[in-house]
Amino acid sequence: MVDQRGFMFSKWFTQAKRSTARKVVVSLLSVVCLWLVGSSAAVAVIEIEITQGGESAIPIAIVPFGWEGGGSPPADVAGIVSADLQRSGNFSPLNSDDLIGRPVSGDKPRFGNWRIAGAEFLLIGAIDKSGENFNVEFQLFDVSQQRLLSGFNFKVTTQTLRNAAHQIADEVYEEVLGIRGAFNTQIAFVSVEREGSKKSYKLQLADADGQNPQAMLTSPRPILSPSWAPDGVRIAYVSFENRNRSAIYVQDRQQGSRKKLISKEGINGAPSWSPDGRRLAVTLSFEGNPDIYVLNVDDGQTRRITTSPAIDTEAVWADDDTLIFTSDRSGGPQLYEVSSSGGRAERITFEGSYNASASVSSDGTNVAFVHGSDIGFQIGTFDRELGLFQTLTDGSLDESPSFAPNGQMIIYATEKGGRETLGAVSLDGSVVQSLSLDTGGVREPAWSPFTN
């Protein structure tokens, strides 16, 4: 039968989080099944609004790309690049109406004029239709030094023209800031459509800018805890399609195939991929207590990592050999580190009485997590090398953090106007975004890795 403890813990946890008038000291019994809490959403484009921008954004002129091919191009490449860079909070694109000229790739810019216009960098480009394909080229200039920083051309189709724009934004981001851009990536999230008393759960994917949403899986039962494999192709998640028992599945987003990995008595939850893509850290309770296990994806074999009488859950990989997980062994939920081979666990969070649901940056340096405070639950981070802690958000119901693959942004679940939605915040807290659907809500985001 269904693990009734899990459902009771989840219900209590949700009710406790909504009581923000006083400080909530939550037992980790609530954390065990965070992934059982329902969500509501509809299939729609995610709208992104910048609610707080970087104070030192770099001014850049992005000129509309030249077009050869008759009619209009199927996508506004320059507009997509501009939106990507502005959304990062690191760039401030000049208003297109204020551009002093319309040069295209191959033209020699008049750097003095662009400098007077206030641009530090200049991006120009052109699109040429060739049969069913498009040739896209661009050039990025440093205005003050009057030199070409980057430029190349490539062929794309109608379906991949938007991806080309994201790739150009990634190139600009890396050339100027020295950090790899993450605009040409995706986010996974869980949504629910309601029709009367019935619910339809969906595991959805969308581009990092909220466009091109696609439903990978639709089920009348909850779908929870999506987790990307390092290859960016496979996604693990928890499904309750068998109402009497949860199961962990892996689905191939390209082929559409899916495989049930494990469905034991009790809790089967919180999957997290190892860096080599061969193992999953999971929470299981078939041996009586919720503990951390490592599950071999190929043969389904499990190895128990923790054996504490406390409740251990939500393990994520800091590197090939280290797991970070949530446990109440100290009396309240805190984060701990343990070897992926097992052994003694070490506590790593000490700020406040509630720290849970870790996400680790791809380089293993920073950890984002849910931090409990007097006003509710916010997203906090700490630097594993320096031991520095900071709170990045100011909401009362912020949860489920997930790092962008370049470690510069964190996407998370939150509430806005009574609706379940998403937020994103930069690693230093200077840039804040609100992501929402035009109908319903959305929960449990997971940012994809780099795939090349």
Side-chain angles (χ1 to χ4, degrees), residues 402-450:
S402 176
F403 269 102
N406 63 0
Q408 298 304 297
M409 296 288 292
I410 301 165
I411 195 169
Y412 58 95
T414 186
E415 279 198 359
K416 183 179 181 180
R419 288 176 51 191
E420 293 176 324
T421 183
L422 303 180
V425 62
S426 60
L427 184 59
D428 63 1
S430 65
V431 180
V432 181
Q433 303 168 10
S434 175
L435 301 83
S436 61
L437 295 172
D438 53 6
T439 58
V442 59
R443 300 275 298 173
E444 299 200 56
W447 212 314
S448 77
F450 290 125

Side-chain angles (χ1 to χ4, degrees), residues 26-302:
V26 184
S27 164
L28 195 66
L29 295 180
S30 63
V31 181
V32 174
C33 292
L34 271 172
W35 25 268
L36 294 181
V37 181
S39 60
S40 62
V43 178
V45 173
I46 296 176
E47 299 293 337
I48 302 178
E49 176 188 2
I50 301 173
T51 58
Q52 180 179 313
E55 296 181 357
S56 57
I58 300 169
I60 181 172
I62 302 175
V63 180
F65 280 30
W67 165 247
E68 294 289 340
S72 301
D76 179 5
V77 172
I80 296 169
V81 174
S82 179
D84 281 347
L85 295 176
Q86 184 173 29
R87 195 172 61 253
S88 74
N90 298 111
F91 292 86
S92 178
L94 273 60
N95 191 305
S96 60
D97 294 334
D98 297 332
L99 297 176
I100 61 173
R102 293 290 192 274
V104 298
S105 291
D107 293 343
K108 185 176 181 179
R110 297 186 177 184
F111 292 107
N113 292 341
W114 289 106
R115 186 166 55 249
I116 293 173
E120 293 185 19
F121 296 90
L122 170 66
L123 180 71
I124 61 178
I127 307 171
D128 177 24
K129 186 175 183 180
S130 176
E132 296 300 318
N133 297 323
F134 301 90
N135 296 315
V136 180
E137 59 180 299
F138 76 93
Q139 293 174 294
L140 174 66
F141 296 93
D142 184 316
V143 173
S144 62
Q145 297 188 23
Q146 300 186 27
R147 67 184 182 93
L148 177 68
L149 288 179
S150 178
F152 55 84
N153 61 76
F154 44 94
K155 288 187 177 181
V156 297
T157 65
T158 300
Q159 290 73 29
T160 58
L161 189 54
R162 287 189 60 87
N163 297 97
H166 294 317
Q167 291 176 39
I168 294 171
D170 284 341
E171 179 71 10
V172 174
Y173 191 91
E174 185 167 5
E175 281 292 336
V176 176
L177 301 177
I179 302 170
R180 186 175 181 180
F183 304 112
N184 195 33
T185 56
Q186 292 186 303
I187 54 174
F189 56 92
V190 176
S191 65
V192 179
E193 290 182 354
R194 288 186 173 90
E195 292 186 10
S197 60
K198 295 183 178 180
K199 295 181 181 179
S200 177
Y201 295 82
K202 296 187 178 183
L203 174 61
Q204 299 195 59
L205 305 182
D207 293 346
D209 64 350
Q211 301 294 312
N212 299 326
Q214 301 175 18
M216 278 186 63
L217 178 68
T218 301
S219 173
R221 303 293 176 189
I223 304 167
L224 306 157
S225 304
S227 175
W228 291 86
D231 58 19
V233 174
R234 295 168 296 164
I235 296 180
Y237 55 88
V238 178
S239 172
F240 281 81
E241 55 202 68
N242 178 351
R243 69 173 63 192
N244 293 324
R245 185 181 296 179
S246 62
I248 296 175
Y249 287 83
V250 169
Q251 185 155 336
D252 187 304
R253 60 189 283 270
Q254 293 180 346
Q255 300 180 4
S257 59
R258 65 195 297 250
K259 175 185 178 181
K260 183 192 291 186
L261 293 185
I262 194 166
S263 183
K264 293 182 176 291
E265 289 287 343
I267 295 169
N268 301 269
S272 174
W273 289 90
S274 63
D276 62 11
R278 298 177 180 177
R279 298 162 291 166
L280 285 168
V282 297
T283 300
L284 305 174
S285 64
F286 70 97
E287 294 186 90
N289 199 63
D291 275 300
I292 306 301
Y293 291 74
V294 169
L295 168 66
N296 188 300
V297 174
D298 289 335
D299 60 19
Q301 295 297 309
T302 61

